[in-house]
C-alpha cells in the first residue's frame, strides 16, 4: 500500500485511527528513496534511527498534522548523532553533538528525519554540482540539474520520496531548485526561522525554509519552524500566526506588482509567456496587476557577491582541522595544519569564494566594497518597502531558464550567478519569497514563478500561491502520479 | 647622555566580572579543569551563533562612566579575522568601528602632589582568547578563557614616564575593581597591560619609532620596563643607531625587556561588522540604570571619611580594604564616632578576620550591634582591654553587646554617685596615701585607684573613677 501520495489530512486520519503506523510511512519513504537512489538526493540516510523513532511513536497520541511524517533535512543543518557534511570533504566525518533549533522544532512535532540531502558544497553553487558527493539529478529528466544549492531536497520532494524537506536559501537556494524541479519552496523573511545550527555561508542572508509538493503542506511546515530563538540574535519575535489561514480564499482586489526587470530579455521567452498567462488569469479573477520599475534590482548580483563572499570567507575560517572535521595528517607546523587541511578539504568553488571574499575585505577594500554594498542594500530594502506600500505582492519568473544539462560547463562563475539573478534581490532585501510551479517548457521541464511579499507577509504569499495552484491544477508528479493499487 | 622626551601609550585589557561568557552561557571562571568551562559556541562548532550577555553591556557603560568616557549609543561588533589556534572561530568578535566609550580620562596624583589627566582614546568590548601551553612539539589549548568578556582601554600617547605609567595603572586598577568591573588580578591575567614607548629629542619633532612591551606581570614591572626601554632607545640614538618598530616582552629574570619580533607591516585583519549580532542601541534609561549601580568610588570615599573626622591613616587603610570600606559606608549616615568605628574595624575586628580568614560580611556584626559597640567604647562602659576578651563572641553571636558583657561578668559601674561614695570611703580609710599624694608622690594615686577597683571588683569605669578620685583629692 502507498500512503505518502495521499492527502496529508487523510494520512493523519489513518494514523489517528491506527489503521497505519508511522513505521509504515518510514518504510515507504525508504522504499521510494531506494527506488530513486540514482537521483542522488541524499548524502546520509538515517534508517536505523528513523525506524526506532517511528516505533517509539506508536504509543503516542497523534496530536498534529505533521505527526509521524518523514522529513528530509538539507545537509548543512546540524543533526545530533547524524553525520552533517555540508557536502564537503572537510566535514565528511563530522557527527554533531547538538541539534539545530529547527531540528528540535520538527522533533517536537514528532516528525521523523529520514536523511540528509545533497547540496552544493557549503551551499555555494546553483546546480548542486559542487557537492563532494556528486550532483543530484532532476526527476523530470535525469540528464538535467536539480538546481542548487538545495538540490537534494528539491529532488526528493519532486520524486515524491517524502512530503517534507528543509532547505536553506542564501541567494535563491530554495526557490531556484524548486523552480527547476516543479515544487513549492519558500524562503521566509530573514529572522523568521532560527539559524542556530545552520552552518553559516553568508550570515546576513542565510535563511532556512520549507520545500514541499504543494502550497498547503508548505505553509503547514512553516508553522512548525518559525519563532524567536534565544540562540539566534537575528531571529525575530512575532505574534503566533497560522500561515494556512488565507488558503482557499478569493483574491479579488489583490494588488500585484511585476518588476519590469523580471520580464526583460534576460529571461527566456517561454518563461515570460507563461508568466504573462498567469497575469491575465489574475486580472480575470479580479486582481490588479501593474508593471513597475524597482531600482537596484540589476545591482543585486554584484552586491550579493560582495556580501556573501566576504561573510563566507570569515564564516568558513573555523574549518581548520583543529577541533573537528578533516585534518591533514602529520603536519610539520601550524601553517601546515591550516594550509593543507583546507587545501585538501575544500572544493574549487568554495576556495574561489573564500579567496575572493578575503580580497574584498582586505585593507581598504572592506570600506570600498563590503560597507558600500551594505549601504546600497539598505537603499534596495527601502525601494522594495516603497513598492509594498502600494502593492500586496510582487510576482515574476523565478529563473531565467528551465533546468539545464548536468554536463553544461561550470567554468564561468559569473554564469552560475546569473542563474540566480531573479532570486537574489529577495535575500538582499530580507523579504519572503516562494516558488510556485506554473507550467512546463517545450521539453516538459517545470517553469516556476516567484511570489514575493513584504517582510513577515508569508501568509499573503501562500494566499495567492494556493489560489493559482488550484486554478492551474497542474500534474506535478514527474512519474505520472501512479495511484496506489 | 642627553635628554630625550619619552612618549608612552598604554593598552590595558581587563576581564569583566560576569557570571557567564560574553557570547555563550558558559561559566566565566578561573582555575578550573582545562576545557571544562566550554560549550559548542566557545569551540566554534559549525552552525553555532553568538548570543550577547547583557551584563557585559552594563559593565561597559559603568566602566565608560568611571573612566569619564563619552558613551556611544548606537554601536555594533566587528569581526577581526586572523588564523591562530587561540581563537576558535579564527576571528575575534570585537568593537573596531564603534567602541562603546571614547574621549575619557583618568586623573593621577604624582608624588609631588601635582595632578595629571591621562587621556583615554577609546575603550571597547571584546572576547578573550583561549590559553595555549607549549609542551615539546605539541601545543595544548584550554578554551576556558575563550569568550570571557574583556574591555580594552587605550590611552592617548600622553604618558611621560615609568612613574606615570605606574600611577595610571594603579589608578585604573583601583577604579575598575572598586567599580566592580573587574577583579584586576594581574597575576591571574584578569588585568593585562601592553605599553608603547618611543622617545624624541624635542616636543616639535615627530614621534619616534615605537616599541611595544607585552607580557608585563606587575605594575612595578611596567614602570621598570618603560624605564629600561627609554634607556635602551636613548643609547641607540646616542650611538647614531636606529631600530625598527618592534614588540618586546618584559623578562622577569633579566628584569629587562627582550625582543619578541619586529612588527610586520600591513597586518590585515579584514574587519567587517559582525552580521550575527544586531546593532546595540543604548537608551538613556539603560545608561542611567547602569550608572546607578556604580558603587562609591575611592576618591569620594576618601573625601567623606575625612569629613567625618576619620584620620588620614585610617582613611587610607580602610580604602585599601574594599570589604571593610563597604562596611564602613553603611555607617556614614549614622550619628556615631566614626574615628572609633574605623579604629575598631582596622584593629580588633581586622585581627579577628585575619586570624579566622573571614570576611566582615561573614560575621554577626550587624549595623545595630556595631553602633552599640561604638557607644559602649566611647563612654567607657567597655574598655579596650575587656573588648579583646569578648571580641570573638561579638562577631559570632547575635546577642546584644551588653548581654555578652554581662555573661562575661564585665559590668562597669558607671553610676556617678555610687563610685563617688566608694571613693570617699577609700580616701577616709587611707589617710597616709592621701597625704603622700598631696606631697607630690604620684604613685599614691595608683594605689588608691587599685583600692577602688578592688572594692568594686574591677567594675568601676576606670576613666570615670580616676576623674572622681582626682577631684575628691583636691
Amino acid at each position: 500500500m502507498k500512503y505518502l501520495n495521499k492527502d496529508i489530512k487523510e494520512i493523519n486520519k489513518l494514523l489517528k485511527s491506527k489503521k497505519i503506523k508511522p513505521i509504515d510511512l518510514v518504510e515507504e519513504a525508504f522504499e521510494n528513496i531506494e527506488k530513486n537512489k540514482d537521483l542522488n538526493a541524499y548524502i546520509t540516510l538515517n534508517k536505523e534511527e528513523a525506524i526506532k523513532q517511528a516505533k517509539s511513536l506508536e504509543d503516542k497520541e497523534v496530536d498534529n498534522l505533521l505527526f509521524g511524517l518523514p522529513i528530509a533535512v538539507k545537509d548543512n543543518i546540524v543533526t545530533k548523532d547524524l553525520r552533517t557534511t555540508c557536502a564537503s570533504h572537510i566535514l565528511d566525518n563530522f557527527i554533531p553533538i547538538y541539534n539545530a533549533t529547527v531540528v528540535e522544532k520538527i522533533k517536537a512535532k514528532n516528525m521523523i528525519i529520514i536523511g540528509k540531502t545533497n547540496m552544493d558544497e557549503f551551499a555555494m553553487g546553483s546546480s548542486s554540482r559542487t557537492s563532494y558527493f556528486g550532483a543530484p539529478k532532476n526527476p523530470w529528466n535525469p540528464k538535467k540539474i536539480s538546481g542548487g544549492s538545495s538540490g537534494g531536497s528539491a529532488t526528493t520532494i519532486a520524486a515524491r520520496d517524502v512530503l517534507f524537506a528543509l532547505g536553506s536559501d542564501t541567494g535563491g537556494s530554495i526557490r531556484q531548485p524548486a523552480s527547476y524541479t516543479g515544487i513549492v519552496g519558500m524562503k521566509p523573511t530573514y529572522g523568521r526561522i532560527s539559524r542556530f545550527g545552520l552552518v553559516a555561508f553568508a550570515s546576513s542572508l542565510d535563511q532556512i525554509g520549507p520545500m514541499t509538493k504543494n502550497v498547503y503542506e508548505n505553509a503547514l511546515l512553516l508553522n512548525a519552524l518559525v519563532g524567536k530563538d534565544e540562540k539566534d540574535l537575528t531571529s525575530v519575535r512575532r505574534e503566533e500566526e497560522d500561515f494556512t489561514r488565507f488558503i482557499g480564499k478569493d483574491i479579488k482586489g489583490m494588488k500585484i506588482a511585476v518588476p519590469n526587470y523580471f520580464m526583460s530579455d534576460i529571461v527566456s521567452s517561454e518563461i515570460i509567456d507563461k508568466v504573462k498567462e498567469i497575469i491575465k488569469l489574475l486580472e480575470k479573477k479580479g486582481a490588479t496587476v501593474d508593471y513597475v520599475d524597482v531600482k537596484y534590482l540589476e545591482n543585486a548580483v554584484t552586491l550579493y557577491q560582495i556580501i556573501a563572499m566576504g561573510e563566507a570567507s570569515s564564516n568558513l575560517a573555523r574549518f581548520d582541522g583543529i577541533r573537528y572535521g578533516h585534518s591533514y595528517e602529520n603536519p610539520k607546523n601550524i601553517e601546515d595544519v591550516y594550509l593543507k587541511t583546507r587545501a585538501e578539504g575544500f572544493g574549487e568553488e568554495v576556495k574561489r569564494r573564500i579567496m575572493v571574499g578575503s580580497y574584498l575585505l582586505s585593507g581598504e577594500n572592506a570600506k570600498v566594497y563590503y560597507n558600500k554594498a551594505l549601504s546600497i542594500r539598505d537603499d534596495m530594502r527601502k525601494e522594495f518597502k516603497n513598492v509594498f506600500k502600494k502593492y500586496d505582492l510582487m510576482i515574476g519568473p523565478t529563473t531565467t531558464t528551465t533546468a539545464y544539462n548536468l554536463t553544461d560547463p561550470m567554468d564561468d562563475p559569473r554564469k552560475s550567478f546569473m542563474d540566480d539573478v531573479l532570486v537574489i534581490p529577495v535575500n538582499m532585501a530580507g523579504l519572503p519569497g516562494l516558488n510556485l510551479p506554473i507550467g512546463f517548457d517545450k521539453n516538459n521541464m517545470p517553469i516556476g514563478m516567484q511570489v514575493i511579499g513584504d517582510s513577515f507577509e508569508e501568509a499573503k504569499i501562500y494566499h495567492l500561491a494556493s489560489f493559482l495552484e488550484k486554478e492551474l491544477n497542474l500534474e506535478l508528479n514527474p512519474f505520472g502520479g501512479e495511484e496506489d493499487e | 647622555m642627553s635628554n630625550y622626551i619619552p612618549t608612552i601609550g598604554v593598552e590595558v585589557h581587563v576581564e569583566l566580572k560576569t557570571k557567564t561568557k560574553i557570547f555563550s552561557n558558559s561559566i566565566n571562571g578561573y582555575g578550573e579543569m582545562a576545557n571544562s568551562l566550554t560549550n559548542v559556541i566557545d569551540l566554534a562548532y559549525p552552525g553555532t551563533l553568538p548570543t550577547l550577555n547583557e551584563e557585559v553591556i552594563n559593565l561597559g557603560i559603568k566602566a565608560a562612566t568611571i573612566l569619564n568616557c563619552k558613551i556611544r549609543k548606537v554601536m555594533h561588533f566587528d569581526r577581526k579575522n586572523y588564523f591562530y589556534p587561540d581563537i576558535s572561530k579564527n576571528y575575534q568578535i570585537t568593537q573596531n568601528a564603534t567602541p562603546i566609550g571614547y574621549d575619557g580620562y583618568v586623573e593621577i596624583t604624582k608624588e609631588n602632589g601635582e595632578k595629571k589627566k591621562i587621556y583615554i582614546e577609546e575603550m571597547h568590548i571584546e572576547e578573550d582568547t583561549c590559553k595555549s601551553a607549549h609542551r615539546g612539539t605539541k601545543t595544548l589549548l584550554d578554551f576556558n578563557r575563550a569568550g570571557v568578556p574583556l574591555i580594552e582601554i587605550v590611552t592617548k600617547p600622553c604618558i611621560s614616564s615609568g612613574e606615570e605609567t605606574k600611577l595610571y595603572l594603579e589608578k585604573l586598577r583601583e577604579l575598575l575593581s572598586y567599580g566592580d568591573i573587574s577583579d584586576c588580578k594581574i597575576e591571574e591575567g584578569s588585568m593585562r597591560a601592553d605599553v608603547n614607548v618611543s622617545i624624541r629629542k624635542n616636543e616639535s619633532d615627530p614621534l619616534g619609532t615605537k616599541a611595544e612591551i607585552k607580557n608585563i606581570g606587575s605594575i612595578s614591572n611596567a614602570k621598570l620596563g618603560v624605564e629600561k626601554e627609554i634607556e635602551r632607545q636613548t643609547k641607540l640614538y646616542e650611538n647614531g643607531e636606529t631600530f625598527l618598530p618592534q614588540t618586546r616582552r618584559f623578562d622577569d629574570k633579566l628584569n629587562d625587556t627582550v625582543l619578541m619580533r619586529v612588527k610586520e607591516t600591513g597586518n590585515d585583519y579584514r574587519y567587517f561588522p559582525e552580521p550575527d549580532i544586531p546593532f546595540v542601541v543604548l537608551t538613556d534609561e539603560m545608561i542611567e540604570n547602569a550608572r546607578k549601580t556604580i558603587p562609591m568610588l575611592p576618591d569620594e570615599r576618601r573625601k567623606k571619611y575625612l569629613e567625618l573626622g576619620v584620620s588620614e591613616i585610617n582613611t587610607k587603610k580602610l580604602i585599601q580594604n574594599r570589604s571593610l570600606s563597604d562596611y564602613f559606608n553603611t555607617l556614614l549616615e549614622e550619628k556615631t564616632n566614626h574615628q572609633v568605628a574605623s579604629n575598631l574595624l582596622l584593629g580588633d575586628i581586622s585581627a579577628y578576620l585575619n586570624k579566622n580568614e573571614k570576611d566582615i560580611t561573614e560575621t554577626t556584626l550587624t549595623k545595630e550591634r556595631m553602633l552599640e559597640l561604638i557607644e559602649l567604647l566611647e563612654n567607657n562602659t567597655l574598655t579596650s582591654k575587656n573588648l579583646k576578651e569578648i571580641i570573638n563572641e561579638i562577631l559570632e553571636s547575635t546577642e546584644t553587646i551588653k548581654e555578652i558583657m554581662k555573661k562575661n561578668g564585665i559590668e562597669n559601674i558607671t553610676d556617678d554617685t555610687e563610685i563617688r561614695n566608694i571613693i570617699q570611703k577609700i580616701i577616709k580609710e587611707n589617710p597616709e596615701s592621701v597625704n603622700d599624694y598631696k606631697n607630690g608622690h604620684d604613685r599614691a594615686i595608683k594605689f588608691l585607684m587599685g583600692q577602688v577597683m578592688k572594692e568594686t571588683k574591677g567594675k568601676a569605669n576606670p576613666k570615670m573613677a580616676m576623674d572622681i578620685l582626682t577631684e575628691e583629692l583636691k
Side-chain angles (χ1 to χ4, degrees):
Chain A
M1 281 288 275
K2 290 264 189 194
Y3 302 103
L4 286 175
N5 55 0
K6 289 186 187 300
D7 184 88
I8 188 167
K9 286 178 182 162
E10 176 69 20
I11 301 174
N12 189 250
K13 220 178 271 171
L14 291 168
L15 283 169
K16 262 189 173 158
S17 62
K18 307 256 178 207
K19 288 204 177 99
I20 62 167
K21 295 175 189 164
I23 187 77
D24 300 322
L25 302 175
V26 167
E27 278 172 357
E28 187 184 331
F30 282 116
E31 275 164 33
N32 293 341
I33 291 165
E34 177 62 26
K35 193 178 73 195
N36 294 322
K37 71 168 182 234
D38 288 345
L39 295 177
N40 201 22
Y42 289 85
I43 292 173
T44 309
L45 291 177
N46 191 30
K47 209 159 178 179
E48 230 171 274
E49 200 46 47
I51 289 170
K52 214 167 102 190
Q53 200 197 337
K55 285 188 175 155
S56 79
L57 291 182
E58 284 175 11
D59 301 324
K60 279 197 181 156
E61 191 202 339
V62 182
D63 60 352
N64 73 85
L65 277 171
L66 301 173
F67 185 98
L69 292 174
I71 182 168
V73 176
K74 188 177 179 180
D75 209 20
N76 60 350
I77 297 171
V78 298
T79 42
K80 192 177 174 206
D81 301 327
L82 178 60
R83 185 170 75 136
T84 301
T85 69
C86 291
S88 179
H89 180 37
I90 211 160
L91 282 180
D92 63 3
N93 63 2
F94 178 59
I95 305 203
I97 54 172
Y98 54 102
N99 275 326
T101 298
V102 284
V103 171
E104 293 292 345
K105 285 189 175 257
I106 57 177
K107 278 184 183 278
K109 293 282 175 193
N110 287 309
M111 297 187 89
I112 299 168
I113 294 174
I114 217 81
K116 304 299 292 290
T117 57
N118 206 348
M119 54 184 278
D120 280 299
E121 183 180 3
F122 284 102
M124 295 179 184
S126 49
S127 61
S128 297
R129 288 182 295 175
T130 67
S131 169
Y132 179 65
F133 302 94
K137 294 170 187 168
N138 195 316
W140 293 92
N141 177 351
K143 291 201 169 77
K144 305 269 186 190
I145 59 163
S146 286
S149 66
S150 309
S153 288
T155 302
T156 197
I157 296 297
R160 302 298 187 262
D161 292 333
V162 289
L163 298 187
F164 296 103
L166 295 181
S168 73
D169 191 319
T170 305
S173 281
I174 287 175
R175 291 158 289 149
Q176 183 255 43
S179 173
Y180 285 167
T181 57
I183 66 160
V184 178
M186 165 70 99
K187 183 210 87 84
T189 313
Y190 184 80
R192 223 0 150 174
I193 298 177
S194 168
R195 291 186 295 117
F196 186 82
L198 170 66
V199 180
F201 160 16
S203 315
S204 69
L205 302 166
D206 296 342
Q207 188 65 190
I208 292 169
M211 300 172 80
T212 57
K213 68 173 185 296
N214 64 40
V215 175
Y216 176 72
E217 288 166 4
N218 202 282
L220 211 55
L221 182 55
L222 185 63
N223 276 345
L225 301 176
V226 299
K228 167 80 183 166
D229 180 10
E230 299 304 331
K231 292 176 180 166
D232 175 5
L233 294 171
T234 63
S235 68
V236 178
R237 192 176 303 283
R238 301 284 299 183
E239 232 169 86
E240 209 174 304
E241 60 177 300
D242 175 9
F243 294 107
T244 68
R245 67 187 185 277
F246 299 137
I247 289 180
K249 294 224 169 17
D250 196 20
I251 59 148
K252 212 169 278 170
M254 204 180 251
K255 286 177 158 174
I256 295 162
V258 181
N260 284 317
Y261 181 69
F262 279 28
M263 300 296 272
S264 64
D265 58 8
I266 54 168
V267 183
S268 83
S269 56
E270 246 183 318
I271 295 177
I272 299 247
D273 290 346
K274 203 46 104 186
V275 173
K276 281 184 175 161
E277 279 175 36
I278 299 290
I279 292 170
K280 261 187 215 142
L281 173 68
L282 289 172
E283 284 172 336
K284 208 178 100 190
K285 296 290 175 184
T288 49
V289 182
D290 293 335
Y291 286 82
V292 297
D293 277 323
V294 182
K295 272 190 281 179
Y296 305 114
L297 284 181
E298 64 277 16
N299 306 118
V301 171
T302 312
L303 298 179
Y304 172 80
Q305 295 199 24
I306 294 167
I307 292 169
M309 292 199 223
E311 291 179 10
S313 70
S314 172
N315 282 331
L316 269 62
R318 66 185 59 195
F319 303 103
D320 57 13
I322 293 178
R323 282 146 292 122
Y324 45 75
H326 174 74
S327 188
Y328 175 69
E329 273 177 57
N330 303 319
K332 285 199 293 285
N333 51 37
I334 186 69
E335 286 275 290
D336 232 24
V337 176
Y338 291 142
L339 292 175
K340 300 217 166 112
T341 296
R342 290 164 68 81
E344 287 176 351
F346 290 135
E348 288 307 308
E349 179 64 16
V350 171
K351 282 182 203 163
R352 198 184 64 78
R353 294 198 191 191
I354 291 173
M355 284 189 276
V356 175
S358 301
Y359 170 77
L360 288 168
L361 293 174
S362 281
E364 287 302 298
N365 288 358
K367 275 197 200 98
V368 180
Y369 297 113
Y370 186 83
N371 293 357
K372 186 84 184 281
L374 288 185
S375 112
I376 302 174
R377 175 163 83 177
D378 276 345
D379 295 337
M380 200 165 137
R381 243 181 222 148
K382 284 177 200 146
E383 181 72 7
F384 269 103
K385 282 273 162 220
N386 276 333
V387 176
F388 286 117
K389 274 182 196 154
K390 280 186 247 160
Y391 297 93
D392 295 301
L393 294 167
M394 206 182 266
I395 60 169
T398 306
T399 53
T400 54
T401 65
T402 54
Y404 49 87
N405 290 329
L406 277 161
T407 52
D408 278 7
M410 288 172 76
D411 52 3
D412 185 356
R414 280 167 308 171
K415 195 200 159 295
S416 97
F417 284 112
M418 285 315 284
D419 294 346
D420 297 330
V421 67
L422 305 174
V423 276
I424 282 174
V426 175
N427 299 83
M428 299 308 291
L431 300 173
L434 169 141
N435 175 72
L436 178 76
I438 55 164
F440 299 89
D441 71 0
K442 57 181 183 293
N443 299 317
N444 200 37
M445 292 306 290
I447 292 173
M449 186 181 86
Q450 210 178 174
V451 187
I452 303 164
D454 199 357
S455 296
F456 301 105
E457 294 280 22
E458 287 87 350
K460 236 187 219 179
I461 294 177
Y462 287 129
H463 181 185
L464 180 68
S466 65
F467 179 85
L468 285 172
E469 182 183 50
K470 199 172 161 213
E471 286 292 324
L472 296 170
N473 194 24
L474 299 169
E475 173 50 72
L476 289 167
N477 185 338
F479 308 134
E482 326 129 44
E483 288 302 310
D484 56 287
E485 51 270 42
Chain B
M1 203 151 72
S2 64
N3 275 330
Y4 285 82
I5 305 164
T7 304
I8 298 150
V10 181
E11 295 167 18
V12 171
H13 285 89
V14 292
E15 288 182 348
L16 303 184
K17 249 197 223 175
T18 54
K19 282 190 211 72
T20 55
K21 293 185 179 180
I22 177 165
F23 300 124
S24 87
N25 60 7
S26 292
I27 298 296
N28 170 7
Y30 178 81
E32 300 293 323
M33 194 178 78
N35 293 308
S36 62
L37 307 178
T38 59
N39 63 19
V40 288
I41 298 169
D42 310 325
L43 295 169
Y45 268 66
T48 56
L49 297 170
T51 52
L52 182 58
N53 184 348
E54 275 177 33
E55 223 185 326
V56 173
I57 304 294
N58 275 331
L59 290 179
I61 296 171
K62 279 163 75 170
T65 307
I66 289 170
L67 304 179
N68 304 297
C69 284
K70 291 178 187 152
I71 293 174
R72 198 176 310 264
K73 287 188 178 168
V74 180
M75 58 179 186
H76 64 261
F77 289 87
D78 297 288
R79 289 190 187 175
K80 179 182 182 180
N81 294 282
Y82 63 96
F83 276 90
Y84 200 70
D86 73 356
I87 190 90
S88 57
K89 301 181 291 297
N90 287 316
Y91 58 82
Q92 180 192 34
I93 305 179
T94 177
Q95 291 187 306
N96 182 51
T98 57
I100 184 168
Y102 59 100
D103 285 351
Y105 67 88
V106 161
E107 195 169 67
I108 58 170
T109 309
K110 295 202 249 181
E111 225 153 83
N112 60 9
E114 187 193 323
K115 288 187 194 292
K116 175 172 176 174
K117 277 182 183 169
I118 306 297
Y119 291 98
I120 306 218
E121 174 90 35
E122 54 106 341
M123 53 154 286
H124 62 262
I125 300 168
E126 62 187 23
E127 61 180 325
D128 210 343
T129 55
C130 96
K131 241 187 220 164
S132 37
H134 302 284
R135 298 271 184 282
T137 57
K138 297 234 184 302
T139 299
L140 303 176
L141 301 172
D142 175 7
F143 286 89
N144 285 356
R145 202 182 70 183
V148 165
L150 293 177
I151 55 172
E152 181 176 348
I153 300 153
V154 183
T155 69
K156 292 196 168 144
C158 64
I159 299 170
S160 320
S161 68
E163 178 66 18
E164 282 183 24
T165 307
K166 175 180 151 235
L167 291 171
Y168 166 69
L169 289 172
E170 280 173 351
K171 186 76 191 187
L172 200 61
R173 182 171 63 181
E174 184 181 85
L175 286 170
L176 296 176
S177 57
Y178 258 96
D180 288 332
I181 310 293
S182 168
D183 59 16
C184 292
K185 289 183 182 159
I186 296 175
E187 65 282 7
E188 287 180 9
S190 64
M191 179 172 177
R192 310 192 280 271
D194 300 332
V195 183
N196 287 292
V197 183
S198 70
I199 58 172
R200 57 182 160 170
K201 199 95 194 182
N202 307 299
E203 286 287 355
S204 53
D205 294 344
L207 289 175
T209 308
K210 215 161 61 171
E212 183 181 14
I213 314 169
K214 284 185 176 291
N215 201 32
I216 299 169
S218 70
I219 290 181
S220 51
N221 283 354
K223 174 175 187 270
L224 192 58
V226 168
E227 286 164 354
K228 290 279 187 177
E229 188 53 28
I230 293 169
E231 213 178 287
R232 191 186 69 86
Q233 292 182 12
T234 305
K235 262 187 209 150
L236 285 172
Y237 286 141
E238 285 299 290
N239 294 338
E241 292 173 58
T242 56
F243 59 97
L244 290 168
Q246 54 194 269
T247 304
R248 306 179 68 83
R249 64 179 176 82
F250 189 84
D251 190 299
D252 285 339
K253 291 189 189 98
L254 297 174
N255 261 334
D256 203 348
T257 68
V258 290
L259 181 70
M260 275 172 88
R261 56 179 179 263
V262 170
K263 288 226 178 191
E264 293 155 46
T265 49
N267 245 348
D268 185 358
Y269 290 119
R270 292 176 284 128
Y271 285 105
F272 72 99
E274 167 58 86
D276 288 329
I277 305 175
F279 277 48
V280 179
V281 181
L282 304 180
T283 61
D284 291 339
E285 197 191 351
M286 281 166 78
I287 295 172
E288 202 39 51
N289 285 343
R291 280 182 171 166
K292 268 188 222 151
T293 62
I294 297 173
M296 196 190 289
L297 296 175
D299 284 348
E300 196 183 343
R301 289 180 198 233
R302 198 168 287 130
K303 193 166 152 258
K304 287 224 159 126
Y305 295 179
L306 292 172
E307 274 169 13
L308 288 168
V310 180
S311 66
E312 279 275 356
I313 178 78
N314 278 10
T315 297
K316 196 176 162 196
K317 281 184 177 167
L318 274 178
I319 290 169
Q320 277 166 359
N321 187 324
R322 171 71 189 275
S323 126
L324 289 184
S325 174
D326 282 348
Y327 186 89
F328 188 79
N329 277 6
T330 65
L331 308 171
L332 293 182
E333 302 296 319
E334 302 296 332
K335 272 215 167 93
T336 184
N337 188 326
H338 290 94
Q339 174 64 17
V340 172
S342 68
N343 282 338
L344 251 175
L345 286 169
L346 295 166
D348 291 320
I349 294 175
S350 280
Y352 170 88
L353 295 176
N354 291 339
K355 198 173 140 209
N356 294 285
E357 291 180 352
K358 272 190 187 171
D359 187 86
I360 187 145
T361 53
E362 294 167 308
T363 69
T364 56
L365 191 63
T366 57
K367 183 166 90 178
E368 287 65 36
R369 297 176 75 242
M370 178 66 170
L371 291 172
E372 185 195 358
L373 180 59
I374 297 167
E375 197 189 331
L376 291 171
L377 281 169
E378 217 192 342
N379 65 21
N380 285 302
T381 310
L382 179 62
T383 63
S384 48
K385 183 169 154 274
N386 287 337
L387 171 64
K388 285 194 202 319
E389 288 164 23
I390 57 168
I391 187 75
N392 286 14
E393 254 176 282
I394 290 175
L395 297 172
E396 288 165 12
S397 100
T398 53
E399 293 165 298
T400 64
I401 313 298
K402 277 201 181 110
E403 278 164 357
I404 295 172
M405 286 168 63
K406 202 168 175 184
K407 257 175 46 190
N408 286 276
I410 305 167
E411 220 173 334
N412 290 350
I413 300 164
T414 47
D415 185 325
D416 196 313
T417 42
E418 197 182 332
I419 295 182
R420 197 172 292 271
N421 287 340
I422 293 168
I423 286 172
Q424 283 166 351
K425 183 176 156 240
I426 298 289
I427 287 176
K428 229 178 261 169
E429 286 170 1
N430 296 284
E432 274 175 42
S433 298
V434 175
N435 247 342
D436 286 352
Y437 174 76
K438 287 187 173 158
N439 290 332
H441 296 288
D442 277 353
R443 228 166 25 137
I445 198 165
K446 282 187 181 149
F447 170 79
L448 290 170
M449 198 49 199
Q451 294 303 304
V452 173
M453 289 321 243
K454 203 172 156 191
E455 182 72 26
T456 59
K457 298 193 178 77
K459 284 177 189 169
N461 181 327
K463 186 173 177 289
M464 190 183 283
M466 188 55 119
D467 287 350
I468 296 171
L469 182 60
T470 321
E471 206 180 298
E472 289 292 328
L473 286 172
K474 270 181 191 162

